[in-house]
Amino acid sequence: MATTERHCNDLLDLALARLRSRERGWEDRPGQREMARLWSETLEDGGAIAVEAPTGIGKSLAYLLPALLRRVRGSGPVVVSTCTKALQDQLFRRDVPLACSAIGVPLRVVTLKGRQNYLCRRRAEARLNQRSLFAPTGLDDSVLDEIRAWTERTATGELEELTELGIELPQAFLIEIASDALLCSASACEAATGCFAKRARREALRADVVLVNHALLLSDPGLRATLLADAGALVLDEAHHVERVAREQLGVTVGRQELLRLAGRTDTRTGILRIVKRSLRRGRGEAIAERLKTAEASIAPVLASAAAFAGDLERLMPGGAASARITRDLDLARLSPVNLDMLLAALGTVARSLEDLADSAALTGAAALRPEGIEALDEVRARSIAWTEAERALRSVVALEEKGTAFFLDRDERGGPRLNRRPVHVGAALRHSLFGICDRTLLTSATLRAGEDFGPVLDALGLSGEEVRTAALESPFPLARQVLSAVWDGSGPNDPGHSERLADLIVSLATHLRRNMLVLLTSYQMLDQVAGRCAGPLSREKIPFLRQVPGEAAGPLAAEFRSGAGAVLLGTTSFWEGVDFPGASLEVLLIARLPFAVPTDPLMEARSEEILSIGGDPFRDLALPEAILRFRQGIGRLIRTAQDRGAVIVADPRLTRASYGRRFAATLPSPPFVTSSKPELLARILDWFSEDRAAAVPEIPEREAPCRA
């Protein structure tokens, strides 16, 4: 062993020893030590490593301790990127301070957020000086006084502080007082003079540890060229989300709602033009007033054309479909020969009229406008740029000839159609703009493999197994003793009456077990069908029943479920991962079907075509690996600590009947009990919960094979 490596291991041992002596109940975790050792080697030698670290490993400290020890020795700062805010907060409030305590050195840690999360004092002052603007929002003087007091005393300018103070504000208002990339890039907005967004960037460049999120890291080339280029280590936690986030950041979405929101931030009723209009000096601002009228009048044709174009697009989504692929065979100009051209022209007109207004007003200045109007001219120009960008975005999503790009329609929050473009592959972009910048990178997550294979995830990120070291750590929990795995072979997802039989199974399990049960479904349509049949029977049994609805955040619903006793929760996409239910808050997990993506999903179709074009198999190379990864994420909701116990039931007979079923079965925590009899399933689960769990899992009789062909 090299001297440097031995020294690093000695320091790591010392840090862990400090934790054992200082933290009550601290346990030495072999998996955590192994992950830290592997990461230490990568930090010394350079390169990238991917580590799958199941729940209970303690992966945060496993990657923080070696990276911070190296920072103390003089390396560049440590950059940690997460997908969720919950993990970012955990790192900032608990894990990084704990790691600093363990190494015995205080280090500077900052959380860097997107510009829209920071206050712009100039914009806030302009709004708060025009209090009548807020009458329609219901914000009274007392609330506005609280906001003003906060803007004067805040040290960070993070808008989230308002929520922590109990001040709940409309999102539209927060946007109006937030830092704006188009407005706040000027020299007038400097860190030294109070620009919180720029101050946060400056503090990040001075910090030892910088916490960011994937969206910010992947959307901001300036951040990557400065902070990441100087970093001594990059950690991508929740790394299985990087591909999806990259695709979103590199994509474009344009719809009527986006244009309506931009209009609301521009017009004379609720937007920036209202401030200009109210600041006109009587008798001296006639020329400006005319241009103001022209600018205001230019907005209506945009909205009218957008509505007409949306009506044309609706014809591509028959029967109220949620999405529809747009292929290169479709000529949008022929679909909407007038409305598309009118919309593009109207977008250009409103941008030019706003620029004309700003130019003219700047010439007349104080002669025609009061100070607040002059201050608002920068925002008028920013709106002009925003409308120009909207025009460019629309042109890009109708440029269907571009190869390697998926074009499709989906629906906005109000059900209207909107156009999207997404890159089919993001690996090359990630390799160039992310992995090619920092030479010491860790990718980690509880689920990185499709079964036993890291290949699909690495390939999607533009990496290969030859250049990335990989390691899959064993769970520290005795899962085979903690979990009863079962397959209910009574009804297939495509069988007539499946929803009715599934609902009947849910009611029976809930009634007999009286333990918190999470039911994971793969679509809201299926959830609605099952919920409609469950609600009445569960209510009669006085069983708390919760169900997710479209657009609902998982957090509040999960919190309500945790506090329940014998509750049933029906959840879809956001409940397959990222929510924790330790102990009795979740003891029964029912997976309604194997989580294959819908084959007709537009992006899935485009990706499948790309695989076919190079001689691959879309099911083998795309659909199956992604479904297995999702399946493993769902199972991970059940056991969060070494003391947890529970049963996982898969209500999809494909796990035992299909040729690929064994790959799913191999990821279950224990060999599955298979039955088509609901009474037998109930009896087995009841017996299991009543047994002394200090004993091993009962031997499965030969007739109940772990996996039936």
Side-chain angles (χ1 to χ4, degrees), residues 540-618:
R540 288 191 290 274
E541 292 289 338
K542 295 183 171 50
I543 293 173
F545 177 57
L546 305 171
R547 53 161 299 177
Q548 190 178 16
V549 298
E552 182 178 16
L557 195 59
E560 186 178 355
F561 178 63
R562 287 187 202 98
S563 65
V568 174
L569 168 60
L570 269 57
T572 183
T573 308
S574 55
F575 277 91
W576 283 81
E577 63 173 310
V579 286
D580 290 342
F581 300 111
S585 64
L586 176 60
E587 293 183 282
V588 182
L589 175 67
L590 176 60
I591 295 178
R593 66 180 300 164
L594 300 180
F596 285 102
V598 179
T600 55
D601 174 79
L603 192 52
M604 196 74 175
E605 279 190 64
R607 296 170 70 192
S608 297
E609 286 178 6
E610 286 283 320
I611 291 172
L612 278 172
S613 70
I614 58 174
D617 181 329

Side-chain angles (χ1 to χ4, degrees), residues 254-402:
V254 180
R256 186 181 175 216
Q257 286 303 312
E258 283 81 10
L259 298 178
L260 281 169
R261 281 191 286 270
L262 184 52
R265 297 181 65 194
T266 305
D267 63 24
T268 56
R269 189 172 63 88
T270 59
I272 191 62
L273 293 184
R274 182 173 186 181
I275 294 179
V276 177
K277 184 176 182 179
R278 292 171 63 87
S279 73
L280 286 171
R281 294 187 183 278
R282 186 173 298 177
R284 287 184 284 176
E286 289 82 359
I288 304 302
E290 284 301 314
R291 284 177 170 78
L292 188 64
K293 275 186 189 178
T294 300
E296 171 69 9
S298 69
I299 296 174
V302 171
L303 302 183
S305 299
F309 185 49
D312 294 335
L313 294 177
E314 190 67 51
R315 299 205 302 271
L316 298 175
M317 303 178 74
S323 62
R325 176 95 180 275
I326 303 176
T327 67
R328 294 180 183 85
D329 297 330
L330 177 67
D331 185 347
L332 285 173
R334 294 184 64 184
L335 170 75
S336 185
V338 176
N339 295 323
L340 175 57
D341 285 344
M342 289 182 66
L343 178 55
L344 287 168
L347 289 168
T349 298
V350 70
R352 288 189 297 274
S353 66
L354 289 169
E355 188 67 24
D356 287 345
L357 169 63
D359 287 344
S360 298
L363 289 174
T364 55
L369 295 172
R370 287 189 285 273
E372 64 269 20
I374 296 173
E375 277 281 318
L377 294 183
D378 282 344
E379 289 212 33
V380 173
R381 294 188 192 279
R383 293 293 176 275
S384 174
I385 295 171
W387 285 104
T388 298
E389 289 186 347
E391 180 189 359
R392 289 173 181 162
L394 180 58
R395 290 188 185 280
S396 76
V397 294
V398 298
L400 303 181
E401 72 281 357
E402 187 173 342

Side-chain angles (χ1 to χ4, degrees), residues 614-655:
I614 58 174
D617 181 329
F619 180 79
R620 180 196 65 207
D621 301 335
L622 178 61
L624 184 58
E626 289 198 350
I628 293 173
L629 197 65
R630 194 72 167 158
F631 185 71
R632 294 183 62 214
Q633 290 161 355
I635 292 170
R637 300 314 93 215
L638 185 60
I639 301 298
R640 309 303 295 177
T641 75
Q643 290 72 45
D644 290 356
R645 309 163 45 199
V648 57
I649 305 148
V650 184
D652 191 334
R654 290 179 295 178
L655 192 140

Side-chain angles (χ1 to χ4, degrees), residues 192-315:
T193 56
C195 178
F196 290 108
K198 289 185 177 178
R199 184 183 298 174
R201 295 296 177 96
R202 184 181 65 182
E203 291 302 312
L205 293 174
R206 297 173 177 175
D208 300 296
V209 184
V210 183
L211 306 176
V212 299
N213 60 54
H214 297 342
L216 176 60
L217 186 66
L218 296 173
S219 65
D220 193 328
L223 181 66
R224 297 194 299 272
T226 52
L227 178 65
L228 196 55
D230 293 333
L234 169 64
V235 177
L236 297 172
D237 204 339
E238 300 177 311
H240 62 285
H241 283 297
V242 171
E243 181 197 13
R244 175 187 59 79
V245 175
R247 188 173 280 115
E248 290 172 358
Q249 295 302 318
L250 294 170
V252 175
T253 296
V254 180
R256 186 181 175 216
Q257 286 303 312
E258 283 81 10
L259 298 178
L260 281 169
R261 281 191 286 270
L262 184 52
R265 297 181 65 194
T266 305
D267 63 24
T268 56
R269 189 172 63 88
T270 59
I272 191 62
L273 293 184
R274 182 173 186 181
I275 294 179
V276 177
K277 184 176 182 179
R278 292 171 63 87
S279 73
L280 286 171
R281 294 187 183 278
R282 186 173 298 177
R284 287 184 284 176
E286 289 82 359
I288 304 302
E290 284 301 314
R291 284 177 170 78
L292 188 64
K293 275 186 189 178
T294 300
E296 171 69 9
S298 69
I299 296 174
V302 171
L303 302 183
S305 299
F309 185 49
D312 294 335
L313 294 177
E314 190 67 51
R315 299 205 302 271

Side-chain angles (χ1 to χ4, degrees), residues 2-172:
T3 303
T4 303
E5 186 177 335
R6 184 166 55 248
H7 179 61
C8 291
N9 287 336
D10 290 343
L11 291 175
L12 184 60
D13 288 339
L14 179 60
L16 291 171
R18 283 199 185 100
L19 289 175
R20 280 196 302 274
S21 64
R22 296 177 182 177
E23 297 296 317
R24 187 176 180 181
W26 180 266
E27 296 179 1
D28 189 53
R29 307 180 193 186
Q32 183 181 65
R33 189 177 289 272
E34 174 66 6
M35 181 175 176
R37 183 187 66 79
L38 292 168
W39 178 222
S40 292
E41 292 175 1
T42 303
L43 288 172
E44 289 303 316
D45 301 337
I49 184 170
V51 180
E52 184 176 271
T55 300
I57 289 290
K59 61 182 171 64
S60 298
L61 284 176
Y63 62 66
L64 285 171
L65 290 175
L68 298 191
L69 285 168
R70 189 166 184 271
R71 170 62 173 171
V72 170
R73 288 161 46 207
S75 79
V78 179
V79 178
V80 182
S81 181
T82 73
C83 185
T84 61
K85 183 179 181 298
L87 179 55
Q88 194 177 67
D89 287 345
Q90 175 189 309
L91 287 164
F92 183 76
R93 299 179 189 280
R94 189 188 73 184
D95 295 343
V96 176
L98 190 60
C100 290
S101 173
I103 66 174
V105 180
L107 296 175
R108 297 178 63 186
V109 54
V110 302
T111 298
L112 186 60
K113 301 177 180 179
R115 186 182 283 275
Q116 71 280 3
N117 293 284
Y118 296 97
L119 168 73
C120 175
R121 276 199 173 119
R122 289 176 60 211
R123 302 185 74 205
E125 185 69 18
R127 269 54 176 185
L128 293 171
N129 285 338
Q130 298 284 322
R131 295 203 168 196
S132 59
L133 291 173
F134 302 112
T137 68
L139 296 177
D140 58 29
D141 283 348
S142 63
V143 174
L144 296 175
D145 286 340
E146 285 187 80
I147 297 169
R148 184 184 289 280
W150 173 77
T151 66
E152 293 170 353
R153 70 172 183 268
T154 178
T156 68
E158 293 185 18
L159 295 174
E160 191 176 274
E161 288 181 4
L162 291 167
T163 302
E164 294 171 356
L165 292 171
I167 305 174
E168 296 293 337
L169 298 171
Q171 186 62 29

